[in-house]
Coordinates of all heavy atoms in Angstrom, one line a residue:
I17 N -63.5 43.8 -209.5 CA -62.6 44.0 -208.5 C -63.3 44.9 -207.4 O -63.5 46.0 -207.7 CB -61.2 44.7 -208.9 CG1 -60.6 44.0 -210.0 CG2 -60.4 44.8 -207.6 CD1 -59.3 44.6 -210.5
P18 N -63.8 44.3 -206.4 CA -64.4 45.1 -205.3 C -63.6 46.3 -204.9 O -62.5 46.0 -204.8 CB -64.8 44.0 -204.1 CG -64.7 42.7 -204.9 CD -63.8 42.8 -205.9
V19 N -64.3 47.4 -204.6 CA -63.5 48.5 -204.2 C -62.4 48.3 -203.2 O -61.3 48.9 -203.3 CB -64.5 49.7 -204.0 CG1 -65.3 49.5 -202.6 CG2 -63.8 51.1 -204.0
G20 N -62.7 47.5 -202.2 CA -61.8 47.4 -201.2 C -60.6 46.5 -201.5 O -59.6 46.5 -201.0
N21 N -60.7 45.9 -202.7 CA -59.6 45.1 -203.3 C -58.7 45.7 -204.4 O -57.7 45.1 -204.8 CB -60.0 43.8 -203.7 CG -60.7 42.9 -202.7 OD1 -60.7 43.2 -201.5 ND2 -61.2 41.8 -203.3
V22 N -59.1 46.9 -204.7 CA -58.5 47.5 -205.8 C -57.0 47.7 -205.8 O -56.2 47.4 -206.6 CB -59.3 49.0 -206.2 CG1 -58.3 49.9 -207.2 CG2 -60.6 48.8 -206.8
G23 N -56.5 48.2 -204.5 CA -55.2 48.5 -204.3 C -54.3 47.1 -204.3 O -53.3 47.1 -205.2
Q24 N -55.0 46.2 -203.7 CA -54.3 44.8 -203.7 C -54.2 44.2 -205.1 O -53.1 43.7 -205.5 CB -55.0 43.9 -202.6 CG -54.5 42.6 -202.6 CD -55.3 41.7 -201.7 OE1 -55.9 42.1 -200.7 NE2 -55.4 40.3 -202.0
D25 N -55.2 44.2 -205.7 CA -55.3 43.6 -207.0 C -54.5 44.3 -208.1 O -54.0 43.7 -208.9 CB -56.8 43.2 -207.5 CG -57.4 42.1 -206.7 OD1 -56.7 41.4 -206.2 OD2 -58.7 42.0 -206.6
L26 N -54.5 45.6 -208.0 CA -53.7 46.3 -209.1 C -52.3 46.2 -208.8 O -51.4 46.6 -209.6 CB -54.1 47.8 -209.2 CG -55.6 48.0 -209.9 CD1 -55.8 49.5 -209.9 CD2 -55.5 47.5 -211.4
S27 N -51.9 45.8 -207.6 CA -50.5 45.6 -207.2 C -50.0 44.2 -207.5 O -48.8 43.8 -207.4 CB -50.3 45.9 -205.7 OG -50.5 47.2 -205.4
L28 N -50.8 43.2 -208.0 CA -50.5 41.9 -208.3 C -49.4 42.0 -209.5 O -49.6 43.0 -210.3 CB -51.6 41.2 -208.9 CG -52.7 40.7 -207.9 CD1 -53.8 40.1 -208.5 CD2 -52.1 39.9 -206.7
D29 N -48.5 41.1 -209.7 CA -47.7 41.1 -210.7 C -48.6 40.6 -212.0 O -49.7 40.2 -212.0 CB -46.4 40.1 -210.7 CG -46.6 38.6 -210.7 OD1 -47.6 38.3 -211.2 OD2 -45.9 38.0 -209.9
A30 N -48.0 40.8 -213.2 CA -48.7 40.6 -214.5 C -49.3 39.2 -214.6 O -50.6 39.0 -215.0 CB -47.8 40.9 -215.7
A31 N -48.6 38.1 -214.3 CA -48.9 36.8 -214.3 C -50.2 36.6 -213.4 O -51.1 35.9 -213.7 CB -47.8 35.8 -214.1
E32 N -50.0 37.0 -212.2 CA -51.1 36.7 -211.2 C -52.4 37.6 -211.6 O -53.4 36.9 -211.4 CB -50.6 37.3 -209.8 CG -49.5 36.5 -209.1 CD -49.0 37.1 -207.8 OE1 -48.7 38.4 -207.8 OE2 -48.8 36.4 -206.8
F33 N -52.3 38.6 -212.1 CA -53.4 39.5 -212.6 C -54.0 38.6 -213.6 O -55.3 38.5 -213.6 CB -53.0 41.0 -213.0 CG -54.2 41.7 -213.2 CD1 -54.6 42.6 -212.2 CD2 -54.7 41.9 -214.4 CE1 -55.7 43.5 -212.3 CE2 -55.9 42.7 -214.7 CZ -56.3 43.6 -213.7
Q34 N -53.2 38.2 -214.6 CA -53.7 37.5 -215.8 C -54.6 36.2 -215.3 O -55.6 36.0 -215.7 CB -52.7 37.2 -216.8 CG -53.1 36.3 -217.8 CD -53.9 36.9 -219.0 OE1 -53.5 38.0 -219.4 NE2 -54.9 36.3 -219.5
S35 N -53.9 35.5 -214.3 CA -54.6 34.3 -213.8 C -55.9 34.5 -213.0 O -56.8 33.9 -213.3 CB -53.5 33.5 -212.9 OG -54.1 32.4 -212.4
K36 N -55.9 35.5 -212.3 CA -57.1 35.9 -211.6 C -58.2 36.4 -212.3 O -59.3 36.1 -212.1 CB -56.7 37.0 -210.5 CG -57.8 37.2 -209.4 CD -57.3 37.9 -208.1 CE -58.4 38.1 -207.2 NZ -57.9 38.8 -205.9
F37 N -58.0 37.4 -213.3 CA -59.0 38.1 -214.0 C -59.2 37.7 -215.5 O -60.1 38.1 -216.2 CB -58.8 39.5 -213.8 CG -58.7 40.0 -212.4 CD1 -57.6 40.4 -211.8 CD2 -60.0 40.0 -211.8 CE1 -57.6 40.9 -210.6 CE2 -60.0 40.5 -210.4 CZ -58.9 40.8 -209.9
G38 N -58.2 36.9 -216.0 CA -58.3 36.4 -217.4 C -58.0 37.5 -218.4 O -58.3 37.3 -219.6
V39 N -57.6 38.5 -218.0 CA -57.1 39.7 -218.9 C -55.7 40.1 -218.6 O -55.3 40.0 -217.4 CB -58.1 40.9 -218.9 CG1 -59.4 40.5 -219.4 CG2 -58.1 41.6 -217.5
S40 N -55.1 40.8 -219.3 CA -53.7 41.3 -219.2 C -53.9 42.6 -218.2 O -54.7 43.3 -218.2 CB -53.1 41.9 -220.4 OG -52.8 40.8 -221.2
K41 N -52.9 42.5 -217.3 CA -52.8 43.6 -216.3 C -52.5 45.0 -217.1 O -51.6 45.0 -218.0 CB -51.8 43.4 -215.2 CG -51.6 44.5 -214.1 CD -50.6 44.3 -213.2 CE -50.4 45.5 -212.3 NZ -49.3 45.1 -211.3
P42 N -53.3 46.1 -216.8 CA -53.1 47.3 -217.6 C -51.8 47.8 -217.2 O -51.3 47.7 -216.0 CB -54.2 48.3 -217.1 CG -54.7 47.7 -216.0 CD -54.4 46.2 -215.9
P43 N -51.0 48.4 -218.2 CA -49.8 49.1 -217.8 C -50.1 50.5 -217.0 O -51.1 51.0 -217.1 CB -49.0 49.5 -219.2 CG -50.2 49.4 -220.2 CD -51.2 48.5 -219.7
L44 N -49.1 50.9 -216.3 CA -49.3 52.2 -215.6 C -49.7 53.4 -216.4 O -50.4 54.3 -216.0 CB -48.0 52.6 -214.8 CG -47.6 51.6 -213.7 CD1 -46.2 52.0 -212.9 CD2 -48.7 51.5 -212.6
D45 N -49.2 53.3 -217.7 CA -49.6 54.5 -218.6 C -50.8 54.2 -219.5 O -51.2 54.8 -220.4 CB -48.4 54.8 -219.4 CG -48.1 53.7 -220.4 OD1 -48.6 52.5 -220.4 OD2 -47.2 54.0 -221.4
C46 N -51.5 53.1 -219.0 CA -52.9 52.7 -219.8 C -53.8 53.9 -219.8 O -54.1 54.5 -218.8 CB -53.5 51.5 -219.0 SG -55.1 50.9 -219.9
T47 N -54.2 54.3 -221.1 CA -55.1 55.5 -221.2 C -56.7 55.0 -221.2 O -57.3 56.0 -221.2 CB -54.8 56.3 -222.6 OG1 -55.0 55.2 -223.6 CG2 -53.5 56.8 -222.7
E48 N -56.8 53.8 -221.1 CA -58.2 53.3 -221.2 C -58.5 52.4 -220.0 O -59.0 51.3 -220.2 CB -58.5 52.7 -222.6 CG -58.4 53.8 -223.6 CD -58.5 53.3 -225.0 OE1 -58.4 52.1 -225.1 OE2 -58.7 54.1 -226.0
L49 N -58.2 52.9 -218.7 CA -58.4 52.1 -217.5 C -59.7 52.8 -216.9 O -59.5 54.0 -216.5 CB -57.3 52.0 -216.6 CG -57.5 51.4 -215.3 CD1 -58.0 50.0 -215.3 CD2 -56.2 51.5 -214.5
V50 N -60.8 52.2 -216.8 CA -62.0 52.9 -216.2 C -62.7 52.1 -215.2 O -62.8 50.8 -215.3 CB -63.0 53.0 -217.6 CG1 -64.3 53.8 -217.0 CG2 -62.4 54.0 -218.6
F51 N -63.1 52.7 -214.2 CA -63.8 52.1 -213.0 C -65.3 52.6 -213.0 O -65.5 53.7 -213.4 CB -63.1 52.6 -211.8 CG -61.7 52.0 -211.7 CD1 -60.6 52.8 -212.1 CD2 -61.3 50.8 -211.0 CE1 -59.2 52.4 -212.0 CE2 -60.2 50.3 -211.0 CZ -59.0 51.0 -211.5
F52 N -65.9 51.7 -212.4 CA -67.4 52.1 -212.4 C -68.1 51.4 -211.1 O -67.5 50.3 -210.6 CB -68.3 52.0 -213.4 CG -68.6 50.4 -213.8 CD1 -69.8 50.0 -213.4 CD2 -67.8 49.7 -214.5 CE1 -70.2 48.6 -213.7 CE2 -68.1 48.3 -214.8 CZ -69.3 47.8 -214.5
C53 N -69.1 52.0 -210.5 CA -69.8 51.4 -209.3 C -71.3 51.4 -209.7 O -71.7 51.5 -210.9 CB -69.3 51.9 -208.1 SG -69.8 53.7 -208.0
Q54 N -72.0 51.7 -208.6 CA -73.5 51.8 -208.9 C -74.0 53.2 -209.2 O -74.8 53.5 -210.0 CB -74.3 51.2 -207.6 CG -75.8 51.1 -207.9 CD -76.2 50.2 -209.1 OE1 -75.7 49.2 -209.1 NE2 -77.4 50.4 -209.8
L55 N -73.4 54.2 -208.4 CA -73.8 55.5 -208.5 C -72.7 56.4 -208.8 O -72.8 57.6 -209.1 CB -74.5 55.9 -207.2 CG -75.8 55.3 -206.8 CD1 -76.3 55.7 -205.4 CD2 -76.8 55.5 -207.9
G56 N -71.3 56.1 -208.6 CA -70.2 56.9 -209.0 C -69.3 57.2 -207.9 O -68.1 57.5 -208.1
R57 N -69.6 57.1 -206.7 CA -68.9 57.4 -205.5 C -67.6 56.4 -205.4 O -66.5 56.7 -205.2 CB -69.6 57.5 -204.2 CG -68.7 58.0 -203.0 CD -69.6 58.2 -201.8 NE -70.4 59.4 -202.2 CZ -71.8 59.5 -201.6 NH1 -72.1 58.7 -200.7 NH2 -72.6 60.4 -201.9
R58 N -67.9 55.1 -205.4 CA -67.0 54.1 -205.2 C -66.0 54.0 -206.5 O -64.8 53.8 -206.3 CB -67.5 52.8 -205.0 CG -68.3 52.6 -203.6 CD -69.0 51.1 -203.4 NE -70.1 51.3 -204.3 CZ -71.0 50.4 -204.4 NH1 -70.8 49.1 -203.8 NH2 -72.1 50.5 -205.1
G59 N -66.7 54.3 -207.6 CA -65.7 54.2 -208.7 C -64.8 55.5 -208.7 O -63.6 55.2 -209.2

């Protein structure tokens, strides 16, 4: 999910997220949601 799309893509409903990324959308209380980039700033 490119950094500029994070807000939009995390706002998708569960079915749209699953369809787009092939994984279940993490719940708001997900304890294992991790972002990364090349050096750390965008993550």
Side-chain angles (χ1 to χ4, degrees):
I17 304 177
V19 69
N21 297 355
V22 167
Q24 175 183 333
D25 286 342
L26 288 180
S27 297
L28 293 172
D29 70 29
E32 290 173 314
F33 191 93
Q34 173 79 39
S35 175
K36 186 169 184 176
F37 299 106
V39 297
S40 297
K41 181 179 177 181
L44 291 177
D45 63 351
C46 179
T47 58
E48 296 171 346
L49 175 60
V50 179
F51 296 89
F52 74 95
C53 61
Q54 187 66 33
L55 299 173
R57 187 173 299 149
R58 288 172 290 171

